[in-house]
Amino acid sequence: MSTVIQPTKEQIINQIKKCGKDPIYFLKAFGKISHPDRGTINFDLYPFQEKCIQSFKDNRYNVVLKARQIGLSWSVAGYIVWLMNFHKDKTILSVATKEKTAANIVRKVKKIYKSLPEWLKLSTISSDNTTGMELTNGSWVRASSTSGDVGVSESLSLLVIDEAALVANLDDLWTGLAPTLTVGGSCVVISTPRGSQGFYWRTYTEAEQGLNNFVPIKI
């Protein structure tokens, strides 16, 4: 039976400092994700995942054009865990056409957070349900469908819009959600391509031309 070697107090402090500065180091060193065949595995980030996470950290507005089933939602979830664990009072909202789709990122956030070493969890979970999780440091993540007045009463640190090209009323939704980011919040808009029309297509093509504040990422 192997013996688990516990880090010293000095090693713990050094690791917390390194992880708090760099989400990519944090996830590569301590992140764990679920694999459909292999179960829980280490989060060995691909270069495109590192690129996305670094852009999320460096830029307030990101719009991602992606292929299917490439693990981008794990990258988003990992970045959210880093935000929540190492920063106080971070408010994160994940929205999609269906609440189940939006909650997929929340589920992955929980998986990564709960798999961390206990000494690396700088807060404890104060609330945990199917559509959200809150930490004792005041940070929380929630999932919601795009119906109604979703998120309009919140001041958000990060807004994630998943499968944005499928959201029929995204122009109206953005009108309501954009003001929630005015105090310094960030936004990640993600989708697979769905034709040459609508808010997502317009936002991505204008970002490529430098006509808006979004940074385009193509995967």
Side-chain angles (χ1 to χ4, degrees):
M1 183 175 179
S2 60
T3 302
V4 177
I5 301 176
Q6 295 295 328
T8 65
K9 182 177 180 180
E10 183 180 359
Q11 289 173 329
I12 288 175
I13 292 173
N14 287 336
Q15 286 297 324
I16 289 174
K17 287 181 178 178
K18 291 179 70 174
C19 290
K21 292 179 180 178
D22 187 352
I24 295 173
Y25 173 82
F26 163 64
L27 293 171
K28 292 176 74 172
F30 300 104
K32 293 185 182 299
I33 63 175
S34 297
H35 189 277
D37 296 321
R38 297 160 57 193
T40 299
I41 61 173
N42 293 332
F43 197 174
D44 296 323
L45 277 73
Y46 292 106
F48 80 85
Q49 291 174 311
E50 294 187 22
K51 174 186 176 182
C52 287
I53 292 170
Q54 191 64 50
S55 188
F56 299 162
K57 181 175 181 288
D58 293 342
N59 303 289
R60 286 186 61 195
Y61 296 93
N62 292 270
V63 56
V64 185
L65 173 64
K66 73 178 188 72
R68 294 184 176 278
Q69 301 298 323
I70 60 173
L72 181 63
S73 58
W74 281 110
S75 306
V76 175
Y79 178 69
I80 290 172
V81 171
W82 176 78
L83 274 180
M84 293 179 64
N85 191 53
F86 295 101
H87 305 81
K88 295 180 180 180
D89 301 317
K90 291 298 181 181
T91 54
I92 299 114
L93 181 66
S94 170
V95 299
T97 51
K98 297 180 180 180
E99 188 174 274
K100 182 178 179 181
T101 303
N104 182 50
I105 287 180
V106 174
R107 178 179 58 82
K108 292 176 178 179
V109 166
K110 294 179 184 181
K111 169 64 179 180
I112 296 173
Y113 183 82
K114 292 178 181 180
S115 298
L116 294 176
E118 291 300 320
W119 55 263
L120 192 53
K121 297 175 184 175
L122 304 187
S123 297
T124 57
I125 298 174
S126 59
S127 177
D128 185 356
N129 54 57
T130 56
T131 58
M133 182 179 78
E134 185 170 354
L135 302 181
T136 51
N137 68 357
S139 293
W140 55 257
V141 58
R142 296 173 190 161
S144 176
S145 68
T146 53
S147 60
D149 57 353
V150 53
V152 296
S153 63
E154 307 286 358
S155 179
L156 299 175
S157 304
L158 175 64
L159 169 66
V160 178
I161 305 177
D162 200 6
E163 284 300 343
L166 293 177
V167 183
N169 63 332
L170 191 48
D171 282 287
D172 294 335
L173 185 70
W174 180 252
T175 300
L177 286 173
T180 69
L181 306 173
T182 55
V183 293
S186 302
C187 181
V188 176
V189 180
I190 305 165
S191 191
T192 50
R194 292 279 178 170
S196 303
Q197 59 183 349
F199 175 90
Y200 171 75
W201 173 80
R202 185 173 64 255
T203 299
Y204 186 85
T205 54
E206 289 180 355
E208 282 194 315
Q209 300 170 44
L211 299 178
N212 58 29
N213 294 326
F214 282 85
V215 174
I217 303 173
K218 182 182 289 186
I219 306 171

